[in-house]
Amino acid sequence: MPTEAHDLRHHGDAEVRDDGSALVDLAVNVRADTPPAWLRERIAESLTGLAAYPDGRAARAAVAARHGLPAERVLLTAGAAEAFVLLARALKVRQPVVVHPQFTEPEAALRDAGHTVDRVLLREEDGFRLDPSAVPEDADLVVIGNPTNPTSVLHPAATIARLARPGRTLVVDEAFMDAVPGEREALAGRTDVPGLVVLRSLTKTWGLAGLRIGYVLAAPETIADLERAQPLWPVSTPALAAAQACVSPRALAEAAHAAHRIAADRAHLVAGLEEFATDGLRVAGPAEGSFVLVRLPRATAVRRHLRDLGFAVRRGDTFPGLGEEWLRLAVRDRATVNSFLQALDRAVTLTGG
């Protein structure tokens, strides 16, 4: 089992708790202008039904319809993080492999469930691109993100599908896929890939991290195994209302528009970051998610100076495969980015860059 060189339970929200609550947040990968008023209203309307136990049938059917699947291929969860715990506890796994760098909660959940986890580390010199041949043939559970947090790499769907094998569960975390214009390279809705399990989150695009809502798409027998591992009524009535609202035609159109805006804002951020190339800063990429990963000298000191200047960014050294020279930056609107770039210039100067 890998050593505890990385804090797998450190997440971006730690940067903006307590003394960081007043900072401009580029540490958490949740859209800053959400949830919209119409969604808040839908959630508020659900509060009149809190006396009854949650009934997830309508939301489950709505999610299924959004992906063109039968309802028995859908499981609603208290955020995508709960799904990782269910997978770790419910599936009979002997040789789990997690492809890193990526969201660390899948490995943490597997470890907590008593599994020995092998890692496949994607390399910076390869652009953190997936090489399916690097995954051991005997792996019976493989976990990968797409687009991957924190690298922002979007792997081709065909490349990920090459990981599928008889007797293997292939878990693809698509929590940020709706931030990709057209959701190109998505595997959600596919039923022709054996052992495929796709996880989706509704908290990132819609700013619902405090509500906890996500879902799993998989074969009916896998869904049944995961559902048996869930407690009764795991998803609250307000979260179910949000799920149903967020897969409506209106919401999908709004999310598609937001994805294009994020792409434009990301391009603006990357262009500004590239001005720091002479200071040794390098942007991993091409970035395709709602965040970018950067490598720069003295990143720890730069992050500390950025906090003093009013900005929180995500440290990268808690991700296996990355070290202290890495930072993850959430994409924000152009005005916020411009202010951040000015602060970054000052922070780099203060560290002697």
Side-chain angles (χ1 to χ4, degrees):
M1 182 177 291
T3 61
E4 292 292 343
H6 299 85
D7 181 2
L8 301 181
R9 284 276 155 75
H10 179 89
H11 301 297
D13 62 314
E15 308 282 355
V16 290
R17 288 198 300 257
D18 302 326
D19 64 337
S21 59
L23 300 177
V24 178
D25 180 11
L26 276 75
V28 177
N29 291 333
V30 174
R31 267 177 56 199
D33 58 342
T34 49
W38 67 265
L39 181 54
R40 293 198 301 270
E41 291 169 4
R42 286 287 298 274
I43 295 169
E45 290 168 2
S46 75
L47 300 182
T48 60
L50 291 185
Y53 285 96
D55 182 348
R57 289 176 296 177
R60 189 175 189 176
V63 170
R66 180 255 193 272
H67 292 288
L69 297 171
E72 58 265 25
R73 282 184 166 268
V74 175
L75 182 67
L76 301 175
T77 60
E82 187 207 4
F84 290 122
V85 174
L86 296 176
L87 288 162
R89 294 179 179 177
L91 300 187
K92 295 178 175 60
V93 176
R94 300 180 308 280
Q95 300 290 335
V97 169
V98 178
V99 180
H100 285 291
Q102 78 147 335
F103 184 49
T104 53
E105 204 59 33
E107 179 172 326
L110 285 163
R111 288 193 188 191
D112 287 347
H115 298 290
T116 298
V117 182
D118 288 330
R119 294 173 177 170
V120 170
L121 299 180
L122 304 184
R123 306 189 309 165
E124 177 189 4
E125 51 265 42
D126 297 330
F128 297 110
R129 312 297 300 185
L130 172 65
D131 176 6
S133 67
V135 176
E137 282 293 328
D138 60 355
D140 59 355
L141 175 71
V142 179
V143 184
I144 186 168
N146 201 36
T148 302
N149 171 21
T151 64
S152 207
V153 168
L154 182 67
H155 305 288
T159 302
I160 293 180
R162 286 172 53 196
L163 292 172
R165 301 281 190 282
R168 172 185 287 178
T169 300
L170 173 58
V171 178
V172 184
D173 177 7
E174 292 188 352
F176 296 97
M177 186 60 78
D178 56 0
V180 177
E183 295 196 1
R184 67 186 192 283
E185 312 304 344
L187 287 165
R190 293 274 295 272
T191 59
D192 60 324
V193 181
L196 177 65
V197 177
V198 174
L199 276 56
R200 285 288 182 109
S201 171
L202 295 172
T203 65
K204 309 299 190 298
T205 287
W206 297 108
L208 297 174
L211 195 60
R212 312 308 306 141
I213 181 64
Y215 55 89
V216 181
L217 307 174
E221 56 271 22
T222 301
I223 294 296
D225 288 341
L226 299 179
E227 192 167 17
R228 280 192 292 270
Q230 274 188 314
L232 290 173
W233 310 292
V235 181
S236 70
T237 295
L240 292 172
Q244 195 167 353
C246 289
V247 296
S248 67
R250 171 184 180 172
L252 294 179
E254 186 172 323
H257 177 74
H260 287 283
R261 187 175 70 248
I262 289 169
D265 289 341
R266 183 182 62 240
H268 179 67
L269 171 61
V270 170
L273 291 170
E274 288 174 344
E275 296 294 320
F276 292 87
T278 55
D279 299 300
L281 186 149
R282 196 187 76 80
V283 181
E288 299 282 358
S290 53
F291 46 90
V292 298
L293 181 68
V294 301
R295 182 175 188 172
L296 74 161
R298 301 173 296 281
T300 300
V302 169
R303 184 170 68 91
R304 185 172 62 250
H305 287 307
L306 283 170
R307 291 183 71 85
D308 293 339
L309 294 166
F311 291 85
V313 299
R314 171 68 157 90
R315 55 189 277 207
D317 62 313
T318 63
F319 294 100
L322 301 181
E324 293 183 352
E325 68 275 22
W326 293 95
L327 299 173
R328 190 193 69 194
L329 314 173
V331 173
R332 297 292 185 239
D333 64 88
R334 292 192 176 206
T336 301
V337 167
N338 289 341
S339 297
F340 166 73
L341 291 171
Q342 292 176 350
L344 179 61
D345 185 45
R346 177 64 176 154
V348 168
T349 300
L350 288 170
T351 58

